Amino acid sequence: MAPDTTDDDRDKKIAKLQFLIGLTNLQTSQQSKSKSKSKSKPKLDRFDSILEMLETSKPQIPQVEQETYPSRTINAQLQVEKNVIGIYENFLEKGSNNIPEIETLKHVQYVRFYLQNPLPVEMLGYDSLHTWTIYWLLNARCTLGGYDKISKVEKDAIIDKVFSFWMDETDAIGGFSGSDGEYQLPHIASSYAALLSLVIIIDDDNYKRIKKNLDVEKIHQWLLSLKQPDGSFFMHTNGETDVRAMYCALVIINLLGIKDEKLTENCIEWLVSCQNYEGGFGGDLMDEAHGGYAFCGLNALLLLIDTPKQLYDLIDVDSLISWMVKRQYGMEGGFSGRTNKLVDGCYSTWVGALSPLLEVVTGTEELINREKLQNYILCCCQDPGKFGGFKDKPTMRCDFYHTNYVSCGLSFCNSFHFIDEDIMKEDGLAFSFKAAKLDDDCPLGLVDPVFTVPIGAPLRFKKYMKRE
Amino acid sequence: MLDQDEKNYHVWSYRRSFVEKFDLFEKKEELKFVRDKINEDMRNNSAWNHLFFLKFGRYKLKLQKTIDESVVSEEIEFAKEMISKAPTNPSSWNYLNGIYKILKRNIIELKAFATQFTNLIYESSVSLYAFELLAEIHKLEKNVEESKKVYELLAKTLDPVRVNYWEYKKAQLTVV
Ligand SMILES: [Zn+2]
């Protein structure tokens, strides 16, 4: 297929790359003391793997096009590429001793500080997202290795805070709202975040209190009132419907054990219709494929079906995989949320969680490139100084949202998932995901790809809710 | 938390519901609007998605049973023209593949078209999407060996970031 001349060129390139990698192997092998006891194939040293990214990935957009058809998309992409190349080159110049590692300590400090102190003025924009803020910080702290270190006092304070957002909409229905203002209505996404926070901290000591405060019947009636004939859910009374509302509703329904025919009617049909021509999911029928909605769409289906293989009867699994892997960019290593959009750290979860799920569904060892995603997160999403937190891309500031979803993404890079068949039969597919670390030395906690909380927490919560 | 990108997403989504509500699928101004957007920036994926909706939405929504062959071939030609201008643009390739997918059309008829973007001498006009399509076509033609070669080329040389994916595709060739 390829003429000889280019084969030569290619061979030269490969030889050059091998030469470079060979050289750096000499340099790095002396410094690497304890290597991972990884279960899968041997991994490239991070230094070598960054070098490979720079050597083998052409920029996404060839210069030729830039000259002929300049546009906003091309300019923005080239800007990011230039920026990221600079960062990677800088790290390579410093040598293999200075390749960034996971700096869990400073990130834990960052989330602990904001969990325990009132929000600073510049973050008041988050005001309507109070339950989300609690969940993001709490979950990031667990993912970064602090799961066992949350004290009883802190847990009690979080329970108080979460229940301060409880709203009775009428005598019969209620849920959690986004802020403590009186005008706020119960909101599905806020309730999802509130519930996940409780899922994370529930224990022998506090479950009775959580059960007593949580009015499951009111939530049940409220969700029924939001249910639409086409299967979708309103985000709140007279609100809008989208895949996110469906996913959040199904998480709540599954966790509280209130799944019934009325709530799940037409859900599958509606979700399936949201997979679009590109293979990903949009927010609604025929909307553009988007990482956030793909996460919600696939997980909503997993919260409805009994076995992973059933997925093949519902959606085009292969085109979802094809769309998912195209979200990863060769130069940057991170994911974009949509075709022709820029890389962004939070898609390490929205798209990154799809990979372990689809690996389980297809029985494949690895679909995305974990190593290169990890390079992007460590080099481009954390600040080099003493301040913690994660961000979207190098030019941005750290925030709670990205701190949580980049942390989870980093955990996915360092783990693989599998299904516990007994749990699947007993408690349902969505509760049956288990995980193991790829590298035993990795300090990060394991994350559930369906619920995005510490692995095992959803099932534990469900069992506490049944306990007397 | 909505950034500019997300706001744009919602604007396109409203536009789509508006078209659906007032049946503006074939309205000239709407088509001109979206084609202009693509001509202005052919990597504007939201615009491509909207064009797909205008052209194939009534069919997908089951408001009509078939689509005129003239509409289909016009859109295929449009996608091909845009691909020729910028062969590495995933938006136009996805549009072309999307048409074939929803209409269950035979992609073998795209063989000659895809092949022109797989000539490695002209590096600037090489497209991963063309190679991927070609591998699928070889598979449909029951030419497993050729298909395997393309996946190996993608995995080892052309697109190493997706090495796991191309290996997965290769492994699938032998699963019956
Ligand atoms: Zn983001």
Side-chain angles (χ1 to χ4, degrees):
Chain A
M1 177 198 345
D4 291 339
T5 44
T6 40
D7 272 340
D8 273 344
D9 275 347
R10 227 172 39 232
D11 288 342
K12 266 185 220 151
K13 269 189 205 162
I14 292 169
K16 186 182 156 208
L17 176 65
Q18 280 167 343
F19 173 71
L20 279 164
I21 289 180
L23 254 182
T24 51
N25 268 342
L26 282 177
Q27 191 190 346
T28 49
S29 56
Q30 291 159 347
Q31 282 138 0
S32 49
K33 288 152 271 141
S34 60
K35 281 281 101 181
S36 72
K37 290 150 264 169
S38 158
K39 289 161 198 73
S40 79
K41 56 186 184 289
K43 295 196 155 198
L44 275 182
D45 194 280
R46 198 167 297 140
F47 183 89
D48 297 342
S49 118
I50 294 172
L51 186 66
E52 189 192 274
M53 281 159 83
L54 287 182
E55 283 290 316
T56 58
S57 60
K58 298 183 201 80
Q60 305 295 321
I61 295 152
Q63 297 296 317
V64 175
E65 261 175 60
Q66 188 201 1
E67 285 159 22
T68 329
Y69 304 101
S71 71
R72 261 181 57 193
T73 307
I74 287 181
N75 292 339
Q77 175 63 29
L78 288 173
Q79 194 66 41
V80 172
E81 281 177 9
K82 207 176 130 199
N83 191 229
V84 170
I85 290 171
I87 290 171
Y88 283 147
E89 281 177 346
N90 190 25
F91 280 123
L92 291 179
E93 261 168 41
K94 285 186 189 160
S96 52
N97 260 344
N98 293 301
I99 296 295
E101 292 292 331
I102 308 166
E103 296 187 62
T104 43
L105 217 65
K106 74 177 188 188
H107 299 307
V108 169
Q109 266 170 4
Y110 172 91
V111 291
R112 278 194 64 175
F113 178 83
Y114 287 115
L115 257 182
Q116 289 163 352
N117 292 286
L119 292 181
V121 184
E122 73 260 27
M123 292 189 180
L124 283 182
Y126 286 167
D127 215 28
S128 62
L129 298 163
H130 268 333
T131 57
W132 280 103
T133 306
I134 298 170
Y135 158 69
W136 290 331
L137 290 171
L138 191 60
N139 192 57
R141 182 161 167 204
C142 296
T143 308
L144 291 161
Y147 190 70
D148 303 321
K149 298 179 193 101
I150 303 169
S151 69
K152 182 180 174 338
V153 178
E154 284 176 278
K155 285 184 179 180
D156 283 346
I158 288 165
I159 296 172
D160 287 343
K161 190 80 187 155
V162 166
F163 281 107
S164 74
F165 299 112
W166 175 266
M167 291 273 156
D168 284 328
E169 191 170 323
T170 67
D171 287 345
I173 66 175
F176 293 93
S177 75
S179 98
D180 34 16
E182 273 172 50
Y183 54 90
Q184 286 276 334
L185 286 172
H187 189 284
I188 285 193
S190 305
S191 300
Y192 159 88
L195 203 55
L196 288 190
S197 305
L198 298 175
V199 166
I200 294 170
I201 56 167
I202 199 164
D203 63 20
D204 277 347
D205 192 51
N206 61 29
Y207 80 93
K208 283 189 180 147
R209 194 175 147 221
I210 290 174
K211 272 190 76 163
K212 197 170 136 261
N213 280 302
L214 206 54
D215 198 329
V216 175
E217 194 39 40
K218 276 193 182 171
I219 296 177
H220 191 173
Q221 293 307 320
W222 170 57
L223 290 175
L224 280 171
S225 78
L226 300 173
K227 177 80 179 172
Q228 300 305 297
D230 66 359
S232 63
F233 287 88
F234 276 153
M235 201 49 120
H236 52 83
T237 305
N238 297 321
E240 281 165 17
T241 65
D242 69 7
V243 173
R244 218 164 33 117
M246 168 84 72
Y247 163 71
C248 292
L250 287 168
V251 164
I252 298 168
I253 289 163
N254 274 272
L255 284 170
L256 298 180
I258 51 173
K259 210 179 206 174
D260 65 21
E261 269 178 33
K262 272 189 189 150
L263 282 172
T264 55
E265 199 173 22
N266 292 330
C267 280
I268 288 183
E269 291 76 2
W270 187 81
L271 283 165
V272 165
S273 74
C274 292
Q275 184 179 30
N276 90 344
Y277 72 92
E278 291 194 276
F281 287 75
D284 197 353
L285 181 65
M286 298 209 77
D287 271 350
E288 187 184 357
H290 181 295
Y293 296 118
F295 172 91
C296 293
L298 178 63
N299 274 322
L301 285 169
L302 295 175
L303 286 155
L304 288 160
I305 59 178
D306 302 319
T307 67
K309 293 287 170 231
Q310 283 172 1
L311 209 55
Y312 283 97
D313 305 328
L314 302 175
I315 59 165
D316 186 343
V317 175
D318 265 356
S319 66
L320 176 61
I321 295 173
S322 171
W323 176 84
M324 168 187 79
V325 297
K326 305 290 173 20
R327 304 280 52 77
Q328 190 163 24
Y329 291 166
M331 168 55 66
E332 299 92 317
F335 294 119
S336 68
R338 284 182 263 165
T339 303
N340 270 324
K341 286 283 178 186
L342 303 174
V343 66
D344 174 349
C346 64
Y347 293 109
S348 310
T349 287
W350 303 132
V351 180
L354 299 180
S355 194
L357 293 167
L358 291 168
E359 283 156 12
V360 168
V361 170
T362 56
T364 312
E365 199 181 314
E366 193 170 7
L367 286 168
I368 58 146
N369 195 323
R370 284 167 166 75
E371 202 176 274
K372 291 182 179 178
L373 173 60
Q374 173 157 295
N375 289 341
Y376 178 73
I377 292 176
L378 295 179
C379 297
C380 301
C381 298
Q382 58 179 357
D383 281 325
K386 60 178 190 280
F387 295 106
F390 288 104
K391 50 190 170 180
D392 165 343
K393 53 175 82 52
T395 47
M396 307 290 213
R397 294 220 318 210
C398 296
D399 61 54
F400 304 156
Y401 166 87
H402 285 92
T403 297
N404 179 46
Y405 293 115
V406 174
S407 303
C408 291
L410 195 51
S411 170
F412 294 137
C413 290
N414 284 288
S415 54
F416 66 93
H417 289 74
F418 54 94
I419 280 177
D420 183 317
E421 302 265 341
D422 293 335
I423 298 177
M424 186 174 88
K425 282 180 201 124
E426 185 78 17
D427 297 284
L429 170 62
F431 289 92
S432 70
F433 285 88
K434 290 195 165 176
K437 289 183 182 182
L438 284 168
D439 175 354
D440 293 337
D441 298 333
C442 174
L444 296 176
L446 295 163
V447 177
D448 187 294
V450 180
F451 295 91
T452 55
V453 292
I455 200 106
L459 187 60
R460 196 170 51 233
F461 179 86
K462 195 178 158 194
K463 294 210 161 131
Y464 273 124
M465 293 305 284
K466 280 190 199 149
R467 216 196 265 187
E468 279 316 307
Chain B
M1 281 303 291
L2 287 183
D3 61 14
Q4 202 52 47
D5 261 13
E6 300 308 306
K7 279 183 200 143
N8 281 336
Y9 189 89
H10 291 286
V11 172
W12 282 104
S13 190
Y14 283 128
R15 192 164 190 112
R16 187 190 45 69
S17 355
F18 196 77
V19 167
E20 191 181 331
K21 198 167 174 188
F22 298 102
D23 196 4
L24 307 174
F25 292 91
E26 282 162 31
K27 198 163 168 62
K28 268 195 199 125
E29 290 84 349
E30 190 64 14
L31 275 165
K32 184 177 173 339
F33 166 82
V34 73
R35 292 237 201 251
D36 282 352
K37 282 272 174 202
I38 294 174
N39 284 322
E40 191 183 297
D41 181 351
M42 64 177 106
R43 289 174 183 263
N44 182 342
N45 199 57
S46 306
W48 282 97
N49 190 76
H50 195 67
L51 180 62
F52 198 92
F53 171 70
L54 292 180
K55 292 293 175 179
F56 306 102
R58 299 189 93 252
Y59 174 76
K60 246 242 78 195
L61 295 164
K62 301 192 173 75
L63 299 172
Q64 67 187 49
K65 282 205 180 84
T66 54
I67 300 178
D68 261 2
E69 180 56 29
S70 65
V71 172
V72 179
S73 51
E74 195 186 337
E75 289 317 299
I76 289 175
E77 281 318 307
F78 178 67
K80 284 181 173 174
E81 186 196 322
M82 293 315 242
I83 289 169
S84 302
K85 282 185 181 172
T88 58
N89 179 8
S91 295
S92 43
W93 281 104
N94 286 354
Y95 190 79
L96 182 65
N97 288 329
I99 295 172
Y100 276 77
K101 210 182 303 164
I102 74 154
L103 300 177
K104 297 189 173 66
R105 240 177 130 100
N106 192 345
I107 55 169
I108 292 178
E109 67 186 52
L110 290 172
K111 191 173 182 181
F113 177 75
T115 307
Q116 35 170 336
F117 305 106
T118 57
N119 187 336
L120 290 167
I121 293 180
Y122 307 107
E123 223 182 89
S124 60
S125 61
V126 165
S127 170
L128 299 178
Y129 286 80
F131 280 101
E132 185 178 22
L133 181 56
L134 208 55
E136 290 284 336
I137 290 171
H138 288 318
K139 185 183 164 187
L140 274 183
E141 291 178 330
K142 307 244 181 310
N143 194 345
V144 173
E145 279 313 305
E146 269 309 304
S147 189
K148 212 184 247 179
K149 269 193 212 161
V150 178
Y151 286 134
E152 277 168 7
L153 184 68
L154 283 162
K156 291 199 182 107
T157 315
L158 296 175
D159 192 34
V161 68
R162 266 167 285 280
V163 54
N164 299 319
Y165 174 64
W166 301 124
E167 292 294 340
Y168 161 75
K169 293 298 279 185
K170 199 176 97 182
Q172 270 194 324
L173 290 171
T174 40
V175 180
V176 200

